[in-house]
Amino acid sequence: MIEVLMPFSMLKYGIRSKHRPFLDIPPTPDLKKSYDVVIIGGGGHGLAAAYYLANTHGITNVAILEKGYLAGGNTARNTTTVRSNYMTAASISFYKEALSLFETMSHDLGFNIMFSQRGQLTLAHSDATMRSFHLRAEMGKHMGTRIEVVDTHTVKDLCPHLNMDVGGHHEVLGGLWHADGGTARHDAVAWGYAKRASEKGVEIHQRTEVTGFKASGDKVTHVNTNRGQIKAGHILQAAGGLNGQIAELAGVRLPIRCFPLQAMVTQPLKPFLNTLLSSANMHTYLVQSSRGEVVIGGGSDPYQLASTRSTFDQKEHLAEGAVHLFPFLHNVKVLRQWAGITDMTPDYSPIMGSSPLQNYWLDCGWGTWGFKATPASGKRMAEIIATGRVPDILKPFSLERFEKFELLNEMGATAASH
Ligand code: FAD
């Protein structure tokens, strides 16, 4: 019966000219001549900054310019890990703030972001890794993070189906357990911020590409787009993998290189993995989604490229790691594989704050780890634009740190679990 009726109901909607699709975000309006703030990039970071500008600071004459579709960059390509188990005090404080905003985000936005705080377990397969875990755990505890080094019995309790000798190559010696870690639905985070920002008057312009800038002295006065030129009071650059190229258009040189990062997802399985699981030594991490699919990721591709193609090499590498950890995955089908372009800095930490141009603000260098930062970077970048002051929590992430050689080395904490 249903099979017979379905085409008729679809036809009814298809031919009814007055049928209004359910829209969370208003359609792209005409561009105005001038905005107080222009945000480049309609990913999570740009959308969150717009929301906090409008909601917290009452600045609503804001345009988000997105060359593709909303969140179609790395925001919709990431593997949704959120955590605060970093190495340096500056990073831990910042990601802790982000995590606390994730904890209340569904309520704050009135939009279900499917936050699941199930903890993250990172495996150690060598004494050197165990030593680095002790250092990381002590640092985290000192900063008030829920983090501890655990032995093999606890690893087994947390992850009963794990193959502890990992194919004989990488026997598990212990782990780093971060009870605060979890996942949040990436599209929902973007759509939640987009919906609430646009309700406050922020304009979201999809298929609107920034092509250049007009400057006067050390101030950018206008932004050029494929839909015309607009005047801008402030500009926030949050362009994901293309951050280096956009900054160059404004005459700003950033220490950023692009590397592809790939991930893949299997067919759905019954629940068997209740934590986020990661192995830095094997460059593999796994998380089971709420649909039962196993999301598998690893390290960046080893060459610089601004491309979103996925490769067989990486599929083989990710599959090998996953099967060593869980041998019963050997005959599971891979449903999808994809890639994003990541904007990597030399110290694996982001750049947030001012640029050599007076009214041009940077939110970039998010590489393979920036989804978890979305609410805190949005909130703090909005604060900078609204007040003109860089809050203490962002000061260590300035562009000048590269000149002063005050680097924030987070390579060990970001390499394989993002
Ligand atoms: P994006 O979401 O990339 O948004 C930038 C937007 O700018 C894009 O939509 C783009 O189209 C637009 N844009 C670019 N150029 C222009 C232009 N000229 N004009 C107008 N618009 C322009 N992070 C984590 O924290 N946890 C993870 O588990 C994780 N996993 C990842 C897995 C993969 C496979 C990838 C690729 C990334 C992962 N990341 C992860 C990193 C994370 O996705 C990014 O750091 C984060 O999404 C960056 O958000 P954004 O808003 O800055 O950038």
Side-chain angles (χ1 to χ4, degrees):
M1 187 64 174
I2 287 173
E3 276 167 20
V4 176
L5 286 177
M6 271 301 279
F8 287 115
S9 71
M10 287 171 78
L11 189 65
K12 187 177 84 182
Y13 286 110
I15 57 176
R16 235 174 47 186
S17 59
K18 287 213 172 110
H19 173 63
R20 284 169 49 120
F22 173 76
L23 285 180
D24 264 338
I25 313 296
T28 295
D30 290 337
L31 275 173
K32 290 196 288 202
K33 288 204 164 30
S34 160
Y35 294 91
D36 295 336
V37 183
V38 167
I39 298 176
I40 309 169
H45 284 243
L47 293 163
Y51 166 77
Y52 288 106
L53 276 170
N55 196 55
T56 311
H57 302 284
I59 300 174
T60 56
N61 185 21
V62 177
I64 298 175
L65 309 182
E66 167 52 55
K67 78 176 177 123
Y69 58 95
L70 209 65
N74 286 342
T75 295
R77 293 164 198 269
N78 77 74
T79 45
T80 73
T81 301
V82 298
R83 60 187 177 87
S84 59
N85 51 353
Y86 278 73
M87 283 301 259
T88 63
S91 301
I92 297 170
S93 306
F94 176 77
Y95 292 110
K96 263 187 74 185
E97 176 166 301
L99 205 44
S100 69
L101 289 165
F102 271 112
E103 284 167 359
T104 58
M105 195 183 289
S106 293
H107 178 264
D108 296 342
L109 295 179
F111 203 97
N112 185 4
I113 62 149
M114 297 171 72
F115 185 56
S116 162
Q117 202 159 23
R118 61 191 109 152
Q120 188 202 31
L121 177 64
T122 312
L123 300 174
H125 310 273
S126 73
D127 292 334
T129 310
M130 280 302 272
R131 278 196 296 277
S132 77
F133 281 2
H134 279 289
L135 190 66
R136 227 164 121 189
E138 288 314 309
M139 193 64 193
K141 279 187 220 162
H142 175 67
M143 305 285 300
T145 304
R146 288 194 294 161
I147 184 167
E148 59 184 311
V149 176
V150 292
D151 62 11
T152 48
H153 296 290
T154 312
V155 168
K156 196 80 192 145
D157 283 349
L158 289 166
C159 218
H161 300 285
L162 180 67
N163 177 27
M164 296 292 281
D165 81 352
V166 195
H169 303 295
H170 297 288
E171 188 188 351
V172 175
L173 303 182
L176 186 64
W177 172 239
H178 175 42
D180 295 322
T183 55
R185 174 85 206 160
H186 44 22
D187 311 295
V189 170
W191 280 73
Y193 278 129
K195 186 172 163 70
R196 298 302 169 217
S198 58
E199 279 168 5
K200 299 260 170 199
V202 168
E203 291 182 5
I204 300 175
H205 295 269
Q206 302 189 60
R207 292 177 300 286
T208 306
E209 180 168 2
V210 172
T211 53
F213 301 94
K214 187 173 157 199
S216 167
D218 62 355
K219 244 183 140 181
V220 173
T221 55
H222 294 80
V223 178
N224 300 330
T225 80
N226 60 340
R227 296 171 59 214
Q229 191 178 66
I230 44 180
K231 202 165 167 221
H234 290 271
I235 295 115
L236 171 62
Q237 182 193 301
L242 299 178
N243 269 314
Q245 287 91 321
I246 301 287
E248 258 173 44
L249 293 176
V252 176
R253 234 181 112 219
L254 297 178
I256 283 182
R257 306 248 184 285
C258 295
F259 290 86
L261 178 67
Q262 305 187 39
M264 65 187 198
V265 69
T266 69
Q267 67 185 101
L269 303 173
K270 293 269 187 234
F272 71 93
L273 182 58
N274 197 31
T275 67
L276 285 73
L277 184 73
S278 144
S279 162
N281 296 99
M282 295 169 65
H283 283 271
T284 309
Y285 64 97
L286 291 89
V287 54
Q288 193 168 19
S289 77
S290 48
R291 281 192 295 242
E293 296 163 348
V294 186
V295 180
I296 308 171
S300 309
D301 287 1
Y303 34 75
Q304 285 184 43
L305 199 64
S307 158
T308 52
R309 71 175 186 164
S310 27
T311 63
F312 185 73
D313 279 3
Q314 186 64 352
K315 186 190 288 178
E316 198 176 23
H317 167 76
L318 296 178
E320 185 186 22
V323 170
H324 278 318
L325 293 165
F326 298 101
F328 58 85
L329 292 179
H330 76 276
N331 61 356
V332 163
K333 296 207 167 27
V334 171
L335 291 188
R336 296 187 303 283
Q337 184 188 3
W338 66 93
I341 305 167
T342 62
D343 47 333
M344 302 292 289
T345 58
D347 59 359
Y348 289 65
S349 287
I351 302 167
M352 287 180 279
S354 59
S355 78
L357 299 164
Q358 253 191 57
N359 58 341
Y360 194 90
W361 307 98
L362 299 169
D363 176 16
C364 55
W366 286 109
T368 64
W369 58 85
F371 172 66
K372 71 180 70 59
T374 305
S377 78
K379 176 179 157 184
R380 295 302 188 168
M381 291 310 301
E383 184 180 337
I384 295 185
I385 294 170
T387 65
R389 285 188 304 277
V390 179
D392 287 345
I393 197 168
L394 289 201
K395 283 183 181 156
F397 299 98
S398 70
L399 177 60
E400 292 87 64
R401 77 176 185 273
F402 296 100
E403 276 170 32
K404 298 184 189 154
F405 213 71
E406 290 171 356
L407 302 187
L408 287 171
N409 184 359
E410 289 294 356
M411 186 177 184
T414 57
S417 37
H418 310 308

